[in-house]
Each structure stands twice: as C-alpha cells, then as structure tokens.
Amino acid sequence: MAIRKIRLEGDDILKKRSREVEEIDEKIQILIDDMIETMHKYNGVGLAGVQVGVLKRVIVIDLYDEHGPIVLLNPVIIKTKGEQEVDEGCLSFPNQFAKVIRPAEVVAEYTDREGKRMRVKAKELLAQVISHEVDHLNGEVFMDKIIPGTLEYIEPEK
C-alpha cells in the first residue's frame, strides 16, 4: 500500500468526469487500498479516485465506526430525499470549510470490491459523504455548491 498524492484546488483533473470501472483487477484493488490508506493519513471521511489523479469511478468512505471502510465502484445515486445544511470540507481544498445544502437521505447503487452489486440507503453524514464523492466523479467540487458568505479558511496548526 502507498500514500497517493492528493490533487489540490486549481488542478484541472478535478473538473473532469471519471470513467466507469470496467474490470475489478489487481490494479483497481491496489488503487482501493492506496486510497483507503491515503484517506486515513489525512483524516478524511471520503476520497474519490480523481482526487489521487485516477479518472475511475472509485470512492472510499470511512465514518470511523463499526462498519470500517466502504468501497463504492461505479456508484449511482438513484434517489434523494429532503435536504440538510452541512459544514463541509475537502482533502483537495485543505483548511477550507463552508456550508453546503446536501440531500438528507440518498439511495445509491454501486459495485463492491468483490464485484457484487449493492444498494445503500444513507442518512445524514453518510448521505452527505456519498453526495460529495459522487460529485467528484462527475467533475464537480464542493466549492461549486457553497452557500455564499460561508467560506472559512482555518489556519493549520504548526
């Protein structure tokens, strides 16, 4: 496993649409493991392939609960319900936070790393993270969706 370089604000790749994962081969499994390790190193709750420079529809999520990391390949949000105003940040926009409106609930279909088609009904934080990461796969970043006047820059601790 390896820590991958996170693509940062201003990198053109963040605005590109990711391609479907056609085959779950060894390269994809290594990418998944590297993404989980990278997300954990930077204390993220989600990471999309594009954020490490790979235009594949791969997402890893970890809410640091009893479920452990979740891997979503080719995820599609098929239903949303309600909305929630949330504080959001992004590993590609370090130390920047803003309020965003996200669905309160989402239903998403995806393929897991073993190739099984799955469905998840997510609420609150998990719904937020799935929405945020699927946006990445579509070339959208949270900065495109912030509520005007809510952007804050937090100085990193030295």
Side-chain angles (χ1 to χ4, degrees):
M1 293 201 294
I3 303 296
R4 302 239 180 161
K5 180 179 182 279
I6 293 187
R7 301 302 185 94
L8 299 175
E9 180 177 13
D11 191 320
D12 288 343
I13 200 168
L14 293 173
K15 294 291 189 175
K16 294 189 171 151
R17 187 173 171 83
S18 296
R19 294 181 300 277
E20 296 275 315
V21 174
E22 310 257 332
E23 183 187 356
I24 304 171
D25 56 13
E26 189 181 349
K27 266 176 74 170
I28 291 293
Q29 296 291 356
I30 290 167
L31 173 65
I32 291 166
D33 290 338
D34 288 355
M35 285 175 62
I36 291 169
E37 190 174 351
T38 302
M39 173 181 62
H40 287 157
K41 170 154 177 49
Y42 296 106
N43 300 313
V45 292
L47 190 65
V50 63
Q51 291 180 274
V52 293
V54 179
L55 283 171
K56 290 283 187 189
R57 296 186 81 78
V58 178
I59 292 172
V60 297
I61 295 172
D62 196 342
L63 302 184
Y64 302 91
D65 60 12
E66 69 278 3
H67 302 294
I70 310 164
V71 176
L72 296 87
L73 305 175
N74 302 329
V76 179
I77 294 173
I78 56 171
K79 194 167 142 195
T80 64
K81 183 176 167 189
E83 58 179 40
Q84 58 179 337
E85 182 179 299
V86 292
D87 288 312
E88 202 155 287
C90 179
L91 294 177
S92 293
F93 295 80
N95 309 309
Q96 296 178 69
F97 302 91
K99 293 197 180 301
V100 179
I101 303 294
R102 294 280 184 200
E105 295 180 24
V106 301
V107 177
E109 289 182 346
Y110 64 96
T111 302
D112 70 9
R113 71 185 301 170
E114 281 78 45
K116 216 163 80 190
R117 203 65 188 151
M118 308 286 283
R119 179 181 281 212
V120 61
K121 184 174 182 181
K123 295 180 177 182
E124 298 163 345
L125 180 58
L126 184 55
Q128 175 188 353
V129 178
I130 290 171
S131 299
H132 177 110
E133 300 307 333
V134 168
D135 279 355
H136 272 302
L137 300 181
N138 295 328
E140 298 172 22
V141 294
F142 92 108
M143 288 295 201
D144 299 335
K145 299 183 176 222
I146 64 173
I147 296 171
T150 64
L151 182 63
E152 291 182 63
Y153 179 81
I154 310 292
E155 251 337 290
E157 292 180 19
K158 298 206 164 56

